[in-house]
Amino acid sequence: MHDMHAKPRPKAVAKPAVPASTKNVTITRGKKARPEPKEPLKKRRKKNRKALLIVLGIAFSVLLAGLVYLAWLPAFRVSAVSVEGPHAEDTKQIAEQSLQGTHAFVLPRNSLFFIPEEDMRARILGTYPDIEAVSITADGLNAIRVRALPRAEAFVWCGEAPGLGDGACYSANAEGLIFAPVPPELASTTEALRVYSAIEGQEGASPVKAHIGHSSRIPEALRFVKAVQTLGADVVSIAFREDEADLYTKAGTRITYVLGREQEAAGIAASVFPQLALNDGSVQYVDLRFSGKAYFKRAGE
């Protein structure tokens, strides 16, 4: 018999099936899901710099390749050279030789964009000391113009002392650089001031490219010579010896002073020379080496 008062049993409820992909998932209540950690700022900057360098490297390579391409184009290659100034034909040959070959086996030396100006200029100046400066300019896309400027002669050097040497003279500039021989037929007739002095830096038998030993004193000495000439003394030469100098007139009168004291010597000369006949040989010498005084000796005394 069934018990009328027995409670009915609850029916079993079937559990929903769990997908296989979620069986191992653990869900934690009360905690927020953490976002994935961000890349460090320093690392990001490093990557950005690296990317920028790569871009710049590519751009530079493209630019360099384009430049090399343009340099080799016949439209920008120098094929003609014109020269103005002394030694024109020889200078032209030097310029043309400087344009041969390549720079580092990559760029042609005769490219209008890569003309070896410094090398060309150095070769010309080294070969011809009588050329003071060289200008190089483009003359269109396929030619250049070379202009050589000659040195200005300030005086001629004729040996270490009057009466010594073989009589040969050489042109020199105001800085004391000896740059060219005077033609023998003109050495005895030149009207340029003759300078006698020891020289420095001579290489070989020729004094060309050497300097006058008292080169630092030359500008002041030349000014003193001009001052004496304006006072009526026809000075034709000056001889340097240690710390003194001797000026000689055409008649042979000697005028001596101390180097570095040109201004004082000029003042003394201005007060004494009007009283002396310096151009007829009647005065043997005038001594201006002493402060405020002048000593002289007449010929035959």
mmCIF file of all heavy atoms in Angstrom, residues 48 168 212 227 258 261 279 301:
data_model
loop_
_atom_site.group_PDB
_atom_site.id
_atom_site.type_symbol
_atom_site.label_atom_id
_atom_site.label_comp_id
_atom_site.label_asym_id
_atom_site.label_seq_id
_atom_site.Cartn_x
_atom_site.Cartn_y
_atom_site.Cartn_z
ATOM 1 N N ASN A 48 61.204 53.125 -33.512
ATOM 2 C CA ASN A 48 60.884 54.245 -34.408
ATOM 3 C C ASN A 48 62.150 54.847 -35.014
ATOM 4 O O ASN A 48 62.179 55.199 -36.192
ATOM 5 C CB ASN A 48 60.104 55.316 -33.652
ATOM 6 C CG ASN A 48 58.704 54.854 -33.277
ATOM 7 O OD1 ASN A 48 58.174 53.923 -33.885
ATOM 8 N ND2 ASN A 48 58.113 55.501 -32.283
ATOM 9 N N ALA A 168 123.599 87.562 -61.994
ATOM 10 C CA ALA A 168 122.215 87.215 -62.328
ATOM 11 C C ALA A 168 121.265 87.818 -61.305
ATOM 12 O O ALA A 168 121.588 87.916 -60.111
ATOM 13 C CB ALA A 168 122.052 85.701 -62.363
ATOM 14 N N ILE A 212 113.776 85.958 -49.355
ATOM 15 C CA ILE A 212 114.815 86.857 -48.861
ATOM 16 C C ILE A 212 114.948 86.669 -47.347
ATOM 17 O O ILE A 212 113.945 86.523 -46.636
ATOM 18 C CB ILE A 212 114.460 88.320 -49.177
ATOM 19 C CG1 ILE A 212 114.278 88.506 -50.686
ATOM 20 C CG2 ILE A 212 115.541 89.257 -48.670
ATOM 21 C CD1 ILE A 212 115.487 88.208 -51.505
ATOM 22 N N ALA A 227 110.820 106.925 -49.338
ATOM 23 C CA ALA A 227 110.934 108.202 -48.623
ATOM 24 C C ALA A 227 112.246 108.891 -48.961
ATOM 25 O O ALA A 227 112.284 110.118 -49.175
ATOM 26 C CB ALA A 227 110.827 107.958 -47.124
ATOM 27 N N VAL A 258 119.537 101.522 -39.250
ATOM 28 C CA VAL A 258 119.228 100.300 -38.489
ATOM 29 C C VAL A 258 117.837 99.810 -38.867
ATOM 30 O O VAL A 258 116.874 100.585 -38.865
ATOM 31 C CB VAL A 258 119.298 100.571 -36.966
ATOM 32 C CG1 VAL A 258 118.922 99.306 -36.184
ATOM 33 C CG2 VAL A 258 120.689 101.042 -36.579
ATOM 34 N N ARG A 261 114.049 100.863 -37.601
ATOM 35 C CA ARG A 261 114.031 102.279 -37.182
ATOM 36 C C ARG A 261 113.899 103.181 -38.403
ATOM 37 O O ARG A 261 114.490 104.252 -38.479
ATOM 38 C CB ARG A 261 115.294 102.593 -36.391
ATOM 39 C CG ARG A 261 115.377 101.826 -35.063
ATOM 40 C CD ARG A 261 116.742 101.963 -34.391
ATOM 41 N NE ARG A 261 117.088 103.366 -34.154
ATOM 42 C CZ ARG A 261 118.256 103.747 -33.613
ATOM 43 N NH1 ARG A 261 119.147 102.833 -33.254
ATOM 44 N NH2 ARG A 261 118.509 105.035 -33.426
ATOM 45 N N ASN A 279 123.887 112.710 -55.401
ATOM 46 C CA ASN A 279 123.772 112.039 -56.699
ATOM 47 C C ASN A 279 124.948 112.312 -57.640
ATOM 48 O O ASN A 279 124.922 111.895 -58.799
ATOM 49 C CB ASN A 279 122.474 112.471 -57.392
ATOM 50 C CG ASN A 279 121.249 112.117 -56.559
ATOM 51 O OD1 ASN A 279 121.197 111.062 -55.937
ATOM 52 N ND2 ASN A 279 120.264 113.007 -56.551
ATOM 53 N N GLU A 301 137.964 112.964 -48.396
ATOM 54 C CA GLU A 301 138.321 113.441 -47.041
ATOM 55 C C GLU A 301 139.049 112.369 -46.270
ATOM 56 O O GLU A 301 138.745 111.174 -46.410
ATOM 57 C CB GLU A 301 137.070 113.882 -46.290
ATOM 58 C CG GLU A 301 136.445 115.145 -46.834
ATOM 59 C CD GLU A 301 135.238 115.592 -46.030
ATOM 60 O OE1 GLU A 301 134.828 114.811 -45.122
ATOM 61 O OE2 GLU A 301 134.703 116.677 -46.293
#
